[in-house]
Amino acid sequence: MTTGQPAEVVIVGTGATGYTAAKVLRAEGFTGSITLIGSEQEATYRRPAVSKELLMGTKSVDQVRLGAAIEGVDVRTGVTAVAVTDSAVELDQGDPIPYDAVLLATGSRARQLDFPGHVFTLRSATDVAPLHADILRTGSLLVIGGGLIGCEAAAAARSLGAEVTVLEAASAPLSRIAPPKISQMYRDLHTDNGITMHTDVTVTSLDEQDDGTLRATARDGRSWSAGTVLVSAGSVPNVELGADMGLETASGILVDAAMRTSRPNVYAAGDVAEVPNTILGGTYRSEHWNGAVDQATRAARSILGLDVGSLDVPLGWSTQHGLNLQFAGWTGAEDEYVVVRGSIEERRFTACALRGDTLVGAIGVGFPKDIRQIRSLIASADPIDRELLGEDWLDRPHAVVR
């Protein structure tokens, strides 16, 4: 450990971000104290499995642990940080923990809708067992929200034999990351697997019926009933600790490319952090696994005063009905998309997202190497010659699919 490095580091959050940061600190030779604290009782696990393998019951939490214990790290699970002062993290139980540097890796929580009655959300391993049991008990699931988690949970419930209906407020599922043609492909995929999906639905009430089912009623008067209801309406970053200590926030805690907040020796990373978009300008929050790991690595190196390099281009994935979707960069429904390999109709393709001559993202099924290559092109920030886009590394002509 070199002069100027902290002696005591506290990491708030035991998810992938917190665990990875602690691991990187040790790997970089940090010999001071590291305390890792989190509200969840479970040791760190791979959260993407929650709406897939864990809900389907094909894997246990122990089978999706992130890794072994890190030597010399004081891990405190089931403990909640209630305040961060200039020198210590205060807990809901036990003495405050002093720090020289603190990393806020507090993640995010499921967005709640104001519905009475018993509904489920799905964000952590703790949520899985009661939801899984209720789906098996009732044999039917109504999912309010057709984003990634909602669609993955719908597919998982269908694999359990449940009758499944998805209600999405937008005009298409997965509309935050996919253009209409790819969204339609996923709608067809769910329909082919026996799931009923309705779009342009704004649910205004949820009422328990005499037979124990719940009925969701839309603004236009339509209604649907099921024995189990899952609300999957996005997430809310856990910014409260940072906001209470006066950190600058927007949709998340604002940080620079080295994960530094507006206060010295205070860092933030993962779902809770709003990072600069050094390619397109502005800021964004990465709510995916790769972003959590990349930012955690960056935060740990920054705490130690080491070079952090450039932020990775975001990367995410989703598995639904055995089909693995990968997406990189900043894809959106309004971008222009060019298919550069395969066919959307055949559900095996790579499509590039363009804004003018700027390559901003990619989305595809079945060609993961393409997505990795396109991430490098996005990171270069070089203007794209549309003809060269195909000639450089793809083997068939591209076609605009808007």
Side-chain angles (χ1 to χ4, degrees):
M1 190 170 66
T2 62
T3 303
Q5 289 187 347
E8 299 175 307
V9 176
V10 176
I11 301 171
V12 183
T14 53
T17 304
Y19 176 90
T20 301
K23 187 175 181 179
V24 171
L25 284 169
R26 284 289 184 248
E28 293 291 353
F30 178 65
T31 57
S33 72
I34 302 174
T35 306
L36 185 60
I37 60 176
S39 300
E40 283 196 70
Q41 294 288 349
E42 293 286 352
T44 306
Y45 56 91
R46 298 181 183 275
R47 197 174 296 274
V50 165
S51 55
K52 299 186 267 295
E53 297 97 330
L54 294 188
L55 185 57
M56 288 188 288
T58 57
K59 288 187 178 179
S60 67
V61 178
D62 286 339
Q63 290 174 307
V64 295
R65 297 288 182 204
L66 184 53
I70 306 166
E71 184 176 356
V73 175
D74 180 10
V75 180
R76 306 187 190 185
T77 56
V79 177
T80 301
V82 295
V84 181
T85 69
D86 290 338
S87 60
V89 176
E90 297 181 356
L91 310 176
D92 63 345
Q93 50 187 294
D95 296 330
I97 306 173
Y99 71 84
D100 299 309
V102 61
L103 170 61
L104 301 180
T106 48
S108 57
R109 61 187 181 275
R111 187 183 303 278
Q112 303 286 334
L113 299 182
D114 188 21
F115 292 141
H118 182 60
V119 299
F120 293 89
T121 57
L122 185 60
R123 190 69 187 173
S124 70
T126 306
D127 300 326
V128 171
L131 175 59
H132 179 94
D134 211 61
I135 291 170
L136 294 180
R137 180 182 67 83
T138 68
S140 61
L141 176 68
L142 182 65
V143 182
I144 301 176
L148 287 173
I149 301 300
C151 285
E152 289 173 356
R158 188 67 188 137
S159 75
L160 296 173
E163 179 181 330
V164 182
T165 301
V166 178
L167 307 179
E168 166 57 31
S171 58
L174 308 180
S175 59
R176 283 185 59 192
I177 64 166
K181 193 167 185 179
I182 296 175
S183 293
Q184 183 61 49
M185 183 207 79
Y186 267 88
R187 183 170 186 164
D188 293 343
L189 175 66
H190 284 281
T191 299
D192 290 349
N193 282 276
I195 291 174
T196 302
M197 184 172 289
H198 299 276
T199 56
D200 296 305
V201 175
T202 301
V203 176
T204 56
S205 65
L206 192 65
D207 304 296
E208 188 170 355
Q209 305 302 291
D210 292 340
D211 61 359
T213 62
L214 293 168
R215 182 178 64 190
T217 303
R219 182 177 293 159
D220 60 9
R222 290 179 293 168
S223 64
W224 302 266
S225 296
T228 305
V229 174
L230 171 67
V231 173
S232 183
S235 64
V236 179
N238 296 319
V239 302
E240 289 79 8
L241 275 180
D244 288 347
M245 64 186 303
L247 300 182
E248 292 181 9
T249 63
S251 66
I253 296 174
L254 288 166
V255 297
D256 64 13
M259 303 294 111
R260 295 174 295 216
T261 71
S262 55
R263 291 185 60 169
N265 304 319
V266 180
Y267 303 78
D271 284 9
V272 75
E274 186 163 350
V275 302
N277 189 324
T278 56
I279 296 171
L280 302 178
T283 59
Y284 70 97
R285 283 197 311 115
S286 174
E287 300 179 73
H288 303 291
W289 175 267
N290 286 71
V293 172
D294 172 53
Q295 292 179 26
T297 301
R298 190 171 309 280
R301 291 181 58 83
S302 183
I303 287 170
L304 299 179
L306 303 175
D307 178 62
V308 299
S310 301
L311 280 162
D312 278 353
V313 171
L315 174 68
W317 70 88
S318 175
T319 301
Q320 301 168 39
H321 305 293
L323 203 68
N324 183 254
L325 176 75
Q326 291 194 326
F327 46 94
W330 299 271
T331 59
E334 298 306 314
D335 295 323
E336 177 186 357
Y337 283 79
V338 177
V339 172
V340 291
R341 191 190 299 278
S343 164
I344 293 174
E345 289 74 17
E346 295 174 3
R347 298 173 184 170
R348 183 172 168 80
F349 65 93
T350 300
C352 293
L354 302 171
R355 295 177 198 168
D357 62 357
T358 302
L359 179 62
V360 300
I363 185 167
V365 173
F367 298 103
K369 290 183 179 179
D370 287 357
I371 302 300
R372 290 196 292 271
Q373 289 176 319
I374 295 172
R375 286 180 81 201
S376 298
L377 290 174
I378 297 169
S380 74
D382 293 332
I384 292 297
D385 183 320
R386 292 167 186 254
E387 295 302 319
L388 293 179
L389 182 65
E391 293 173 5
D392 280 348
W393 46 272
L394 297 172
D395 56 13
R396 59 188 301 168
H398 59 274
V400 176
V401 300
R402 286 284 295 173

